Amino acid sequence: MTASVNQLACTAAGNVRVREELIEGNEQLILRTASRVCRRYVSKSDDEWSVALEAFSRAVDVYREDRGDFLPFAQMLIRRALVDHFRTLRHSGSEVPVPPHVLAGEGTPEEDPEGAYLAVVRQSQAAEDRSAREEIEAANELLQGYGFRFYDLAGRAPAQARTKADCACAVRWLLANPEAMARLKREKKLPIRAITAGSGVSRKTLDRYRNYLIMAALILDGDFPLIARYLNDMKEERT
């Protein structure tokens, strides 16, 4: 999670175009969150997608930076909205299938602060933890094809601000150049000469952080939204 996403959410509250871009950029996150709450795959054709999308948009309207990072805040509102949605279906006698764990959610957090409602929220958070572990395992399997494991990178990230900025510059250049990314995936190695020529980052830095840069580029280019939270600042130009 980066400050830039939080700032974008604040801007989106009063800008339709930015709101649409923010929603479009987080569609997979919205669908994943809805799927975890429902414990089944949710697509854009499902009612739960509409409920989750409306909750995400509402999060944009009410978000302030003192609430913490935007995306976890939006996910919380999505979970609450879906729990309320299923409770309404239950009380209306709808035959729409409702997950059993959601049916237990009676009342609001204010009415039942230690009851079933929060249990539902905690269950969905636990599901997200499981999804994070699944992402790490998938990343580990992917990176083994490049000669190392995800776990091998523990403590190997750049520490100094200048080095972080250089690594971010290299990853941004890679992500902005499809041919270089295709070469990385095809040859299973970092195209160091091309990155140096295109981004200006020194070969010494690229050599030292070779595996870290491969990991960051593949994670940000792939379907790893939870891990990518910790790398998204590499996408943003720093001043």
Side-chain angles (χ1 to χ4, degrees):
M1 177 62 59
T2 64
S4 60
V5 176
N6 300 341
Q7 294 166 0
L8 188 65
C10 291
T11 302
N15 188 309
V16 175
R17 180 184 61 81
V18 175
R19 182 190 295 260
E20 291 176 349
E21 291 177 355
L22 184 64
I23 291 174
E24 182 178 356
N26 287 282
E27 283 185 354
Q28 290 303 310
L29 176 72
I30 298 170
L31 286 168
R32 281 174 177 268
T33 304
S35 297
R36 288 171 192 140
V37 175
C38 299
R39 293 188 178 177
R40 64 173 175 81
Y41 177 72
V42 172
S43 71
K44 289 186 180 180
S45 62
D46 293 321
D47 291 340
E48 290 83 4
W49 158 254
S50 299
V51 174
L53 180 62
E54 182 180 353
F56 187 92
S57 185
R58 185 167 66 253
V60 172
D61 292 328
V62 302
Y63 174 71
R64 299 189 309 271
E65 288 195 84
D66 60 7
R67 293 179 180 266
D69 288 330
F70 171 73
L71 291 182
F73 173 73
Q75 288 177 294
M76 178 184 68
L77 293 195
I78 291 172
R79 295 186 192 106
R80 290 181 178 178
L82 285 168
V83 170
D84 288 342
H85 169 67
F86 288 126
R87 189 173 66 244
T88 299
L89 290 177
R90 180 191 183 188
H91 291 325
S92 67
S94 171
E95 294 183 359
V96 176
V98 180
H101 77 291
V102 175
L103 284 178
E106 296 287 347
T108 66
E110 291 76 15
E111 295 168 349
D112 189 14
E114 296 300 330
Y117 187 100
L118 283 186
V120 171
V121 174
R122 292 189 185 105
Q123 284 179 325
S124 62
Q125 291 171 337
E128 181 167 322
D129 290 340
R130 288 194 297 273
S131 295
R133 289 194 296 271
E134 290 169 2
E135 279 193 17
I136 291 173
E137 291 299 331
N140 192 54
E141 182 176 352
L142 171 65
L143 294 173
Q144 283 180 342
Y146 293 78
F148 63 97
R149 301 176 304 165
F150 184 83
Y151 303 107
D152 295 335
L153 297 175
R156 302 292 180 86
Q160 297 183 351
R162 175 61 184 274
T163 308
K164 287 181 179 179
D166 285 346
C167 287
C169 181
V171 171
R172 284 197 302 271
W173 187 88
L174 262 177
L175 294 173
N177 288 270
E179 290 185 7
M181 280 297 300
R183 181 180 171 187
L184 166 64
K185 295 176 180 179
R186 182 177 64 253
E187 299 180 0
K188 306 298 182 185
K189 63 181 182 180
L190 200 66
I192 290 180
R193 183 177 299 178
I195 297 174
T196 298
S199 69
V201 177
S202 72
R203 183 184 184 94
K204 180 180 179 181
T205 297
L206 299 180
D207 276 330
R208 182 175 182 182
Y209 294 101
R210 180 190 307 259
N211 289 348
Y212 178 80
L213 295 170
I214 291 174
M215 178 276 296
L218 292 174
I219 292 298
L220 292 172
D221 188 59
D223 186 22
F224 300 91
L226 299 178
I227 301 176
R229 291 178 184 176
Y230 303 96
L231 296 169
N232 276 335
D233 60 333
M234 303 191 82
K235 286 185 174 181
E236 304 296 332
E237 190 72 43
R238 292 185 177 183
T239 58

